[in-house]
Amino acid sequence: MERKNAWKKYTEEEKAAVFAYGDEYRQFISDCKTERECVTELKKRAIAAGFQDMEAVIAKGITLRAGDRVFADNKGKSFAMYIIGQKPMEEGMNILGAHIDSPRLDLKQNPLYEDTDLAYLDTHYYGGVKKYQWVTLPLAMHGVVAKKDGSIVEISIGEDAEDPVLYITDLLIHLSGKQLQKKAAEVIEGEMLDILIGSRPLAELPDDSKKDAVKQNVLKILNEKYGIEEEDFLSAELEIVPAGKARDCGLDRSMVIGYGQDDRVCAFTSLFAMLETENPERTSCCILVDKEEIGSVGATGMHSRFFEDYVAELMALTEDGNPLKVRRALRNSYMLSSDVSAAFDPLYADAFEKKNTAYFGRGLVFTGSRGKNNSNDANAEYIAKVRQVLDNNEVGFQTAEMGRVDLGGGGTIAYIMANYGMNVIDSGVAVLSMHAPY
Ligand code: MN
Ligand code: MN
């Protein structure tokens, strides 16, 4: 069942549309490197497309009608969009889902220290990373510092051409004889992923601060630029990510290289699907969540009740919020849960089984990993329905499993939504080097 390469069938006009869309996508992942930055951008685009804030709709007691568009912002880190359908919601919704968090390094609560005239920020890694990939790269710091007075300071260092960048050192090759004998998992250990942030001491310090003069200088710069003090790190969410913009990759510009494509490539495409949908039969919904990379936990992850609560709110704003109807709406829904899939890499052909692998250019990937761990195991009947919709609309797609059966696999948010009894299938875009900095 060979799937066609989509590049072969595009007209010149369609190719131009593909590249224009690619340009916009590249800009999106260059600008949105944290879940908070994603929600800020999603909200901006949603408002421009006529979506109303659900909190405002509730406060004003507005009754929603077919065609109305609303969004819900969950703590600035996960985001849901809805377009009210013509049919009653209890008949079910059509749902798109993806996640907007990506693997990275987070600052610890008490991060800043000085050792031998160098100042560092201590980190822990978030999500699955090959630690050796994160050294000797230009890095940026993004995030927020919440101050005791209630104000929020937004931080972005390392993205403007004039900005300094941050860095993690590695041992020079000349002295690495012993290090290179270690297993790849241990060549760089988690506690070695400390960010080098300064080497210039602050002059004229009182005697009790003299030994930390480089750290004091870093604190002085942070205070001058952002008005923050060392204690403010306690209530901060600061993320270390690769610095710089996403780029076209390949002489034919057929690929995009950039940070955070898992899973912002699916978030971006889901967003566009919502923005372009008008007057749907069934209520359309798009849910973009945080914390997938660490098990979908927390108030902004898919395991949180916020999605269900918003659906209940929405039903109360349209017909009535009868809890039984809410359960019916969830149970009767269809979902494409999208997350990236592993594209076949000929250099690592051993990790894949060629008949059931995703390939670049062959379209949206449906990942059914029957019986494998973390599987939502989509129903055959639902898959048949999806196939029909795609074929009727000439949408290219392929099916795949993530790697050879004994090699492992990956989870998504699909199984959590399947708990409601709704039909869910894993789908998404194929990527190379998943979870690498670029
Ligand atoms: Mn993912
Ligand atoms: Mn991932």
Side-chain angles (χ1 to χ4, degrees):
M1 287 191 289
E2 179 92 2
R3 313 302 302 189
K4 284 202 188 75
N5 190 312
W7 289 109
K8 291 184 188 165
K9 68 170 191 188
Y10 289 143
T11 61
E12 285 308 311
E13 206 181 3
E14 284 169 332
K15 257 181 238 165
V18 168
F19 281 111
Y21 191 65
D23 288 347
E24 199 168 341
Y25 167 62
R26 238 184 21 223
Q27 191 63 45
F28 177 79
I29 56 168
S30 299
D31 293 343
C32 301
K33 292 192 175 180
T34 66
E35 52 286 347
R36 283 180 188 261
E37 288 170 354
C38 283
V39 169
T40 302
E41 178 66 20
L42 294 165
K43 201 158 141 179
K44 199 171 86 191
R45 289 179 187 245
I47 291 169
F51 284 78
Q52 309 176 66
D53 189 335
M54 196 184 299
E55 297 296 342
V57 174
I58 294 168
K60 291 179 195 155
I62 298 170
T63 301
L64 295 173
R65 297 195 165 69
D68 282 349
R69 305 169 146 216
V70 285
F71 70 81
D73 169 352
N74 181 18
K75 297 183 168 54
K77 292 194 276 190
S78 53
F79 194 70
M81 301 162 78
Y82 303 86
I83 305 173
I84 309 299
Q86 292 151 26
K87 290 185 172 172
M89 277 183 72
E90 65 178 310
E91 290 183 30
M93 299 169 283
N94 286 355
I95 305 172
L96 296 173
H99 69 91
I100 49 176
D101 61 317
S102 288
R104 58 175 190 253
L105 306 176
D106 282 342
L107 295 200
K108 289 185 181 177
Q109 295 91 330
N110 188 11
L112 185 60
Y113 72 93
E114 175 172 341
D115 191 340
T116 326
D117 296 343
L118 296 174
Y120 293 92
L121 292 168
D122 211 329
T123 68
H124 64 240
Y125 50 89
Y126 171 99
V129 298
K130 285 174 136 176
K131 286 163 274 187
Y132 65 77
Q133 292 176 337
W134 288 77
V135 297
T136 67
L137 293 172
L139 297 168
M141 179 158 66
H142 290 237
V144 296
V145 178
K147 299 195 343 180
K148 276 201 293 188
D149 64 6
S151 60
I152 303 288
V153 184
E154 292 198 23
I155 305 231
S156 170
I157 301 169
E159 299 296 349
D160 288 341
E162 300 301 310
D163 270 5
V165 293
L166 310 176
Y167 185 77
I168 302 171
T169 56
D170 190 6
L171 190 59
L172 60 165
I173 180 69
H174 316 71
L175 301 181
S176 292
K178 209 165 130 196
Q179 184 199 31
L180 291 175
Q181 301 308 311
K182 291 185 184 174
K183 290 197 292 188
E186 291 158 10
V187 163
I188 302 292
E189 294 188 30
E191 288 295 352
M192 302 297 282
L193 295 176
D194 288 358
I195 312 294
L196 183 58
I197 193 175
S199 71
R200 185 153 57 93
L202 185 64
E204 293 169 33
L205 277 170
D207 280 349
D208 61 342
S209 308
K210 259 189 181 133
K211 68 173 176 38
D212 279 343
V214 176
K215 174 181 160 180
Q216 294 304 326
N217 195 37
V218 167
L219 283 170
K220 181 168 170 268
I221 293 166
L222 286 173
N223 189 268
E224 281 167 2
K225 187 153 187 213
Y226 296 106
I228 56 174
E229 294 168 0
E230 189 172 10
E231 285 264 312
D232 292 327
F233 279 119
L234 293 175
S235 49
E237 289 174 21
L238 294 169
E239 306 180 5
I240 306 297
V241 297
K245 290 183 190 309
R247 310 278 296 265
D248 281 344
C249 178
L251 296 186
D252 57 7
R253 297 180 177 268
S254 60
M255 299 164 279
V256 172
I257 177 172
Y259 166 70
Q261 308 203 59
D262 175 6
D263 183 32
R264 293 176 191 136
V265 64
C266 297
F268 182 75
T269 42
S270 297
L271 166 75
F272 265 70
M274 284 302 278
L275 297 181
E276 291 178 2
T277 298
E278 273 171 28
N279 275 317
E281 242 177 60
R282 287 156 67 89
T283 294
S284 297
C285 163
C286 172
I287 168 91
L288 302 172
V289 290
D290 181 25
K291 300 286 182 283
E292 192 277 338
E293 295 295 357
I294 56 166
S296 298
V297 293
T300 52
M302 196 68 251
H303 277 300
S304 151
R305 291 266 160 78
F306 75 90
F307 173 71
E308 191 181 327
D309 289 349
Y310 288 150
V311 171
E313 294 279 11
L314 202 61
M315 290 190 76
L317 293 166
T318 48
E319 33 203 299
D320 66 88
N322 179 333
L324 192 58
K325 287 190 177 180
V326 173
R327 310 228 76 78
R328 285 180 197 145
L330 291 165
R331 183 172 73 237
N332 292 327
S333 288
Y334 300 124
M335 181 178 193
L336 296 184
S337 169
S338 46
D339 205 342
V340 291
S341 182
F344 181 72
D345 185 340
L347 298 185
Y348 297 94
D350 281 359
F352 301 91
E353 187 266 286
K354 278 187 126 174
K355 298 187 300 306
N356 290 287
T357 288
Y359 296 87
F360 271 6
R362 297 192 197 173
L364 184 63
V365 187
F366 289 92
T367 322
S369 48
R370 294 207 183 88
K372 222 171 147 178
N373 60 351
N374 291 323
S375 169
N376 68 296
D377 197 9
N379 263 13
E381 291 87 343
Y382 178 50
I383 300 176
K385 196 177 170 65
V386 172
R387 279 175 57 204
Q388 189 205 27
V389 171
L390 295 168
D391 284 344
N392 288 351
N393 292 280
E394 293 179 56
V395 178
F397 73 95
Q398 52 186 329
T399 57
E401 293 203 359
M402 189 169 334
R404 298 185 76 87
V405 288
D406 284 337
L407 286 189
T412 69
I413 58 171
Y415 73 99
I416 306 164
M417 297 296 268
N419 288 339
Y420 293 113
M422 69 174 71
N423 276 302
V424 188
I425 186 165
D426 273 307
S427 58
V429 176
V431 297
L432 291 168
S433 310
M434 195 188 295
H435 283 209
Y438 292 92

